Amino acid sequence: MKWRAAVLWILVAIGTPARSQALLPPDQLYGELFADVQQLHVFADSKTFTDCIPKKEPRLIVEAYRLLKKPVSRATLQAFVRQHFKLPDTTGVVFTQTSKDVRNHIRQLWQVLQRPQVDTCPARTWWCNGSLLPLPGPYIVPGGRFREIYYWDSYFTMLGPREDSAFRLMEHMVENFAALARKHGFIPNGNRTYYLSRSQPPFFSMMVSLLASVKGDTVYTRYLDALKAERSYWSGRSPAAFDAPAARTVVTAPGAVRNISRYWDDKEIPRQESHREDVATESSAVRLFMSEHPGGNADSFSKRLYRHIRAAAASGWDFSSRWLSDKKNLETIRTLDIAPVDLNCLLFFLDQAIARAHNTNGEPGARALTDSMPLVRRKFRELYFNDSLGWFCDYDLESRQIMDHPTLAGMFPLFFGLADSADAARAAVYLQA
């Protein structure tokens, strides 16, 4: 049976159109080679191999690897990878500070962290960018091992160019995310194939709003299609987003004005970019689970655990005690069981941005949203405001109760106008205590 599976895998790889192959993450492209690289610790950082660029078609590299005598040693595998892949630069850019003024220092960093657009590879060399997804314009990276754009980070990055009047750079950033939304039906965690199973905090509407503050409200209409794609994804109606028929981002809650959302990742395996760390967490968590549940289903538990870990990565709060049952050990993570207060605030603002786009086009929408605000605030409070603390907390989907674990995410309702004056005053007192 094993040889039949191997033959089938080769036939699928050969027959898969280049466009589809270009979207496959490294673990699917390289199979056994990927697993061996991670398990033998060929690189100190699990992310290094995921960012390698193949020197020829991945299918040919996989075939060459199958010809090696197994099992391979770490040294042999290191030599094989260096022969067949271009390794990412791990040294980073050397930046020499030339100004003691902090504004000038930051302004100089934009050029250091800016990267050119990522062109689409020709069909015959669809693998030319490795796992990097194409982008239509230049972009800003965090730096170091993070060699790609990251979704929610980029909104806060945009605040810098906004202060420096670098409006063209802001436009490039918004256009890049709009292009991702249009192509994939949602905005992934970052522009890597291995991030195509999850998103991040939906700050795109905030980016559009920031650009509109300098370019005018027509910006809303320009990106209305991308805003709607974003909303469709978080509403669970985006079949293009994941391998599954629809995203699993939506859950129901009693008394809610609408369905509420949680963070989600469609994969139930270790993250490719943190493979070794996730496997170690899973091993420890399974031992704990089996000690507490003799005869339990370890495989089902492991898959759920990986989804929890990946969902936490989607939240951007990776990793925070807000996702942990015991507030301290990663093995107790339960991200999928929580409807985060900050996520649902961002989706409220996304609805406002869409309504504003329709209003700019002379269509109805914005007025209806304004008229419903008292009801929205009341229902939002019922789901998220912890009266005993005087603070907005996350909602526990299992117990159907407001959680009693305060985090700074509780400030989001104040920022987005979802708190009334009385609750805002209580939150201010709690924050200062």
Side-chain angles (χ1 to χ4, degrees), residues 132-324:
L132 203 62
L133 297 173
L135 293 173
Y139 57 102
I140 301 291
V141 301
R145 68 192 288 267
F146 301 112
R147 297 171 278 264
E148 52 284 311
I149 58 171
Y150 284 84
Y151 182 7
W152 83 311
D153 306 46
S154 296
Y155 167 71
F156 300 100
T157 301
M158 277 184 67
L159 297 174
R162 171 68 176 84
E163 288 298 311
D164 286 339
S165 299
F167 303 141
R168 184 57 181 150
L169 177 56
M170 291 175 63
E171 284 188 295
H172 284 311
M173 296 175 75
V174 174
E175 189 58 41
N176 284 334
F177 286 109
L180 290 171
R182 290 161 179 158
K183 181 175 178 60
H184 303 291
F186 79 119
I187 299 176
N189 188 148
N191 66 316
R192 291 281 183 184
T193 57
Y194 51 82
Y195 287 143
L196 282 173
S197 61
R198 65 175 179 267
S199 187
Q200 263 199 331
F203 270 87
F204 180 66
S205 56
M206 293 285 288
M207 297 180 193
V208 171
S209 178
L210 193 63
L211 185 60
S213 70
V214 297
K215 292 288 185 177
D217 279 3
T218 55
V219 169
Y220 287 100
T221 61
R222 190 192 319 170
Y223 296 109
L224 178 58
D225 62 331
L227 290 167
K228 285 185 173 180
E230 175 95 307
R231 196 62 181 97
S232 181
Y233 164 74
W234 287 105
S235 300
R237 299 191 304 270
S238 180
F242 293 138
D243 296 336
R248 303 291 191 264
T249 55
V250 172
V251 289
T252 59
V257 175
R258 68 196 77 183
N259 288 336
I260 57 177
S261 295
R262 63 178 175 178
Y263 289 108
W264 175 265
D265 188 302
D266 200 50
K267 301 290 186 181
E268 51 187 21
I269 58 176
R271 292 170 296 160
Q272 290 90 337
E273 73 281 7
S274 298
H275 186 276
R276 188 161 61 251
E277 294 84 352
D278 286 358
V279 168
T281 299
E282 183 267 352
S283 178
S284 176
V286 167
R287 286 196 299 270
L288 178 63
F289 171 76
M290 295 305 294
S291 68
E292 296 177 348
H293 304 85
N297 190 327
D299 182 60
S300 177
F301 172 81
S302 293
K303 291 178 179 179
R304 183 74 173 175
L305 178 78
Y306 285 133
R307 284 199 196 275
H308 284 311
I309 291 174
R310 285 172 163 270
S315 78
W317 292 54
D318 48 332
F319 291 94
S320 167
S321 61
R322 71 190 292 203
W323 313 129
L324 311 179

Side-chain angles (χ1 to χ4, degrees), residues 122-140:
R124 65 182 182 280
T125 57
W126 53 266
W127 36 266
C128 73
N129 291 321
S131 60
L132 203 62
L133 297 173
L135 293 173
Y139 57 102
I140 301 291

Side-chain angles (χ1 to χ4, degrees), residues 315-378:
S315 78
W317 292 54
D318 48 332
F319 291 94
S320 167
S321 61
R322 71 190 292 203
W323 313 129
L324 311 179
S325 292
D326 67 359
K327 309 308 179 192
K328 57 183 178 180
N329 293 304
L330 189 57
E331 291 83 357
T332 68
I333 192 165
R334 54 186 298 266
T335 320
L336 299 176
D337 303 327
I338 297 169
V341 59
D342 46 348
L343 169 60
N344 286 280
C345 286
L346 286 164
L347 294 176
F348 166 76
F349 187 84
L350 173 56
D351 288 338
Q352 287 186 311
I354 291 173
R356 189 161 183 172
H358 285 300
N359 189 52
T360 302
N361 281 337
E363 306 168 24
R367 182 64 185 175
L369 188 64
T370 302
D371 291 343
S372 67
M373 274 305 297
L375 176 62
V376 171
R377 285 196 184 97
R378 179 168 63 82

